[in-house]
Amino acid sequence: MSDALDPTPYDALLLLSFGGPEGPDDVVPFLENVTRGRGIPKERLKEVGQHYFLFGGVSPINDQNRALLDALRKDFAEHGLDLPVYWGNRNWAPYLTDTLREMVADGRRRILTLATSAYASYSGCRQYRENLADSLAALEVEGLEPPRVDKLRHYFNHPGFVRPMIDGVLKSLSELPEDVRQGAHLAFTTHSIPTAAADTSGPAEDHGDGGAYVKEHLDVARLIADAVREETGVEHPWQLVYQSRSGAPHIPWLEPDICDHLEERHGAGAPAVVMVPIGFVSDHMEVLYDLDTEAEAKAAELGLPVRRSATVGADPRFAAAIRELVLERAAKETGTAVTPCALGALGPSHDLCPVGCCPARAPKPAAAGADSPYA
């Protein structure tokens, strides 16, 4: 058993997330971090920040990351996995560079990274890798020797990620009035991104209409819908839809939007809808505002019964999945045979992002990939 729980060659796990404000005074500075380089006026940022001000200027994402940290540390300790877990953010404290500096001071030399995004896309993977490269370069400037940093593979189809979402849909269906439950439509939601970014998501061989981003979400939606049918005996109609669009109106983004979809389903006679946020690891602001506030208001206006199922969050099964992914990657690094765990038609994702995977419009160095300057 001790061999099976050996994380060698890794000596730490880094939870890498987006970050969010923790009070009203943080909102605009946080949004300035998120939009740096885009020239967005402060007055516009104040308008965008109204979503946060509705919730006291506090994003729930930081507390959710603290809960996930606790769940990971508890799971690791209970299973005898001696691997410290650190936390760093892209856009708010604790900042990634500060966390990596702390890890170097603690003597960490081989670091595995868990990003709080399960799918392939520029913003969900490569941008995190670019942030890692920027932070490692900053450490070099300070005269520190950068550690080697690897990234866990995409976990969208790991059972520990999928099963909690299946249970969330079953619970939401059970909460609907009995007379509309059987005919309820399942709306699987994820973050809309520009169609150009979707088309080039994943490795080059996946590029095309929707790329890996759409393909992976469709596979997860199908897995959940099939499991619900098997466990209830009812085949619920379903569709992948999008939310949280933030780009310029003239740039094509993935559609349909969840609110438009609710209108369309209501017009088509759907008696109820369960919104299933498969694209999000936790109930952060885009779930609380775009679904629980905006979409539910649209459903109330239509007189359409809706429920929103839970995200994975700090579910113990998700923490166990991360432990399995850590041990899987460690085994591969030491040349030990291992069978990666994955559901659905796509199989396990790549361990090392290849050249051309989720490319940026303007090429930048990115860590934890085949093209990393910090291999």
Side-chain angles (χ1 to χ4, degrees):
M1 176 65 81
S2 60
D3 290 340
L5 296 182
D6 184 1
T8 304
Y10 297 107
D11 53 22
L13 177 68
L14 168 64
L15 175 65
L16 177 55
S17 193
F18 193 81
E22 301 208 73
D25 293 341
D26 297 343
V27 173
V28 171
F30 162 73
L31 292 173
E32 287 175 332
N33 287 343
V34 174
T35 61
R36 181 161 286 119
R38 301 184 204 171
I40 299 175
K42 183 170 286 191
E43 289 308 309
R44 174 60 183 148
L45 295 180
K46 289 179 180 177
E47 291 176 24
V48 174
Q50 291 307 312
H51 295 183
Y52 291 96
F53 292 128
L54 285 174
F55 296 88
V58 178
S59 169
I61 194 170
N62 284 339
D63 277 345
Q64 289 161 5
N65 281 325
R66 292 182 183 103
L68 180 56
L69 281 171
D70 288 344
L72 290 170
R73 289 165 177 158
K74 181 174 185 290
D75 178 272
F76 288 8
E78 288 177 349
H79 290 85
L81 178 58
D82 184 14
L83 192 70
V85 187
Y86 295 75
W87 170 35
N89 289 326
R90 283 166 48 173
N91 299 300
W92 203 249
Y95 288 103
L96 173 58
T97 303
D98 295 336
T99 299
L100 284 174
R101 188 184 300 110
E102 176 189 356
M103 297 175 83
V104 169
D106 290 346
R108 312 304 176 193
R109 303 304 311 155
R110 287 292 303 272
I111 297 168
L112 258 180
T113 302
L114 162 66
T116 54
S117 177
Y119 301 85
S121 71
Y122 171 74
S123 58
C125 183
R126 186 175 178 89
Q127 192 170 14
Y128 281 109
R129 294 176 50 224
E130 291 175 353
N131 297 145
L132 282 166
D134 288 343
S135 293
L136 293 170
L139 296 186
E140 272 193 311
V141 169
E142 295 173 11
L144 300 174
E145 183 183 352
R148 175 170 167 176
V149 179
D150 293 329
K151 181 177 176 292
L152 288 174
R153 66 176 171 91
H154 300 301
Y155 46 84
F156 63 92
N157 56 3
H158 193 287
F161 185 68
V162 176
R163 184 66 231 186
M165 293 191 290
I166 294 169
D167 290 345
V169 174
L170 294 170
K171 182 174 186 293
S172 292
L173 286 169
S174 73
E175 293 171 350
L176 283 169
E178 191 171 351
D179 60 335
V180 299
R181 186 180 305 153
Q182 187 159 330
H185 173 87
L186 307 181
F188 294 98
T189 76
T190 190
H191 205 302
S192 184
I193 61 175
T195 56
D199 293 347
T200 56
S201 57
E205 60 266 24
D206 286 333
H207 293 178
D209 188 17
Y213 187 74
V214 172
K215 187 186 301 183
E216 290 169 0
H217 281 87
L218 284 172
D219 203 44
V220 171
R222 192 173 295 110
L223 280 167
I224 296 172
D226 287 350
V228 169
R229 183 191 67 245
E230 290 169 7
E231 297 185 32
T232 65
V234 178
E235 182 152 7
H236 292 272
W238 64 271
Q239 186 172 338
L240 177 63
V241 301
Y242 303 93
Q243 61 175 91
S244 312
R245 177 187 170 131
S246 59
H250 67 281
I251 297 175
W253 282 50
L254 293 173
E255 296 177 335
D257 176 77
I258 179 61
C259 289
D260 295 337
H261 182 65
L262 292 175
E263 283 202 49
E264 187 275 331
R265 286 292 83 205
H266 176 66
V273 173
V274 172
M275 300 182 291
V276 191
I278 59 172
F280 304 92
V281 170
S282 64
D283 289 3
H284 55 64
M285 186 57 70
E286 286 165 319
V287 175
L288 293 187
Y289 182 80
D290 297 337
L291 295 183
D292 294 357
T293 305
E294 194 172 49
E296 289 205 8
K298 171 59 70 175
E301 172 191 318
L302 297 168
L304 178 67
V306 295
R307 294 293 185 275
R308 194 269 293 171
S309 67
T311 53
V312 173
D315 190 291
R317 292 168 292 183
F318 182 46
I322 300 308
R323 167 172 41 85
E324 292 172 11
L325 288 168
V326 166
L327 294 172
E328 172 197 303
R329 182 61 181 274
K332 289 181 180 180
E333 290 293 313
T334 55
T336 304
V338 62
T339 301
C341 190
L343 301 173
L346 300 181
S349 184
H350 50 265
D351 290 308
L352 194 67
C353 291
V355 176
C357 193
C358 303
R361 281 181 293 178
K364 289 183 60 179
D371 53 357
S372 172
Y374 297 99

